[in-house]
Amino acid sequence: MSKNGDKKQRKYWNDHLRNMYLDEEGSYSYQGTYRTIKGDGKAINKKAWFFVAIMDAALLLSGIFPATGAMDTWYVLIPYAASIICCGFITYYMFKWTTKGVSTLREYVYEKTWPRIGPATLSATISSGITLIMEIFFLVRNGMGEHPKGAILLVICCMTTSVLGWFLSRFIKTQEWLNLVEKER
């Protein structure tokens, strides 16, 4: 690992451990800053998971059936693979956010999850949109071929992923998080 990577890792752990203090019982407790979401955290979490689940299902469904343009065409496969990777990151960040606390998060958990969901969602939206455009380009240029149902399914699923990804990124941007100090909790 490079020296720069070591410094970043050390800084993260030093910041993380700086807020851990030994209490009277001999166990460590976090006494740093917390972030709390403005509004009903569980309802926001359910709505975000709804978007993510449909996006993931659409991408996986389109990958199960063979599609005419997605068989050996690099300009369809590369953005499709990028969409799957981005949706994997979104799912990972959502899972981390859900397991670490829905309404109130420690500052270091917040920094590693919530601000990263928006860019990953936007990347999934863009790459899925590029997949959609390239698949339509392939179909117009070469025809429906041997697997027309798979091609239509790929177009519909990429369209669904693009639209829901755009809505999820807008939804993520509209949520407001407030800083709380340990004493205020």
Side-chain angles (χ1 to χ4, degrees), residues 36-56:
T36 185
I37 196 161
K38 192 173 183 180
D40 185 15
K42 289 185 180 182
I44 292 168
N45 190 8
K46 284 181 184 177
K47 190 172 184 180
W49 267 116
F50 174 75
F51 285 130
V52 172
I54 293 178
M55 286 172 61
D56 288 347

Side-chain angles (χ1 to χ4, degrees), residues 4-100:
N4 192 20
D6 290 339
K7 287 181 183 178
K8 286 183 180 179
Q9 188 70 19
R10 259 190 314 229
K11 181 185 179 316
Y12 169 73
W13 281 108
N14 287 341
D15 288 345
H16 172 80
L17 294 175
R18 190 174 296 129
N19 296 322
M20 301 298 277
Y21 295 100
L22 202 59
D23 59 9
E24 294 85 26
E25 299 164 0
S27 61
Y28 283 96
S29 65
Y30 180 77
Q31 295 181 358
T33 306
Y34 284 87
R35 293 276 188 129
T36 185
I37 196 161
K38 192 173 183 180
D40 185 15
K42 289 185 180 182
I44 292 168
N45 190 8
K46 284 181 184 177
K47 190 172 184 180
W49 267 116
F50 174 75
F51 285 130
V52 172
I54 293 178
M55 286 172 61
D56 288 347
L59 278 178
L60 293 177
L61 180 68
S62 65
I64 291 174
F65 300 103
T68 303
M71 299 294 265
D72 295 324
T73 314
W74 63 270
Y75 55 85
V76 175
L77 289 175
I78 290 175
Y80 179 71
S83 303
I84 291 175
I85 291 169
C86 291
C87 280
F89 278 116
I90 296 166
T91 305
Y92 169 73
Y93 295 140
M94 286 292 297
F95 182 74
K96 201 169 178 185
W97 171 45
T98 303
T99 57
K100 299 293 183 180

Side-chain angles (χ1 to χ4, degrees), residues 40-175:
D40 185 15
K42 289 185 180 182
I44 292 168
N45 190 8
K46 284 181 184 177
K47 190 172 184 180
W49 267 116
F50 174 75
F51 285 130
V52 172
I54 293 178
M55 286 172 61
D56 288 347
L59 278 178
L60 293 177
L61 180 68
S62 65
I64 291 174
F65 300 103
T68 303
M71 299 294 265
D72 295 324
T73 314
W74 63 270
Y75 55 85
V76 175
L77 289 175
I78 290 175
Y80 179 71
S83 303
I84 291 175
I85 291 169
C86 291
C87 280
F89 278 116
I90 296 166
T91 305
Y92 169 73
Y93 295 140
M94 286 292 297
F95 182 74
K96 201 169 178 185
W97 171 45
T98 303
T99 57
K100 299 293 183 180
V102 175
S103 297
T104 304
L105 295 174
R106 294 177 178 181
E107 181 70 26
Y108 65 90
V109 175
Y110 169 81
E111 289 174 357
K112 292 287 184 179
T113 57
W114 189 261
R116 295 179 180 191
I117 295 173
T121 304
L122 196 58
S123 299
T125 301
I126 291 169
S127 57
S128 187
I130 291 171
T131 305
L132 174 69
I133 292 168
M134 291 296 121
E135 176 68 14
I136 291 172
F137 172 74
F138 180 86
L139 293 176
V140 167
R141 190 167 175 228
N142 300 324
M144 292 299 264
E146 296 177 15
H147 306 287
K149 291 179 184 175
I152 292 170
L153 183 67
L154 180 65
V155 168
I156 291 170
C157 289
C158 285
M159 197 178 317
T160 302
T161 305
S162 292
V163 170
L164 286 179
W166 185 81
F167 280 121
L168 180 61
S169 67
R170 298 290 116 208
F171 178 69
I172 294 293
K173 277 188 170 184
T174 61
Q175 303 309 315

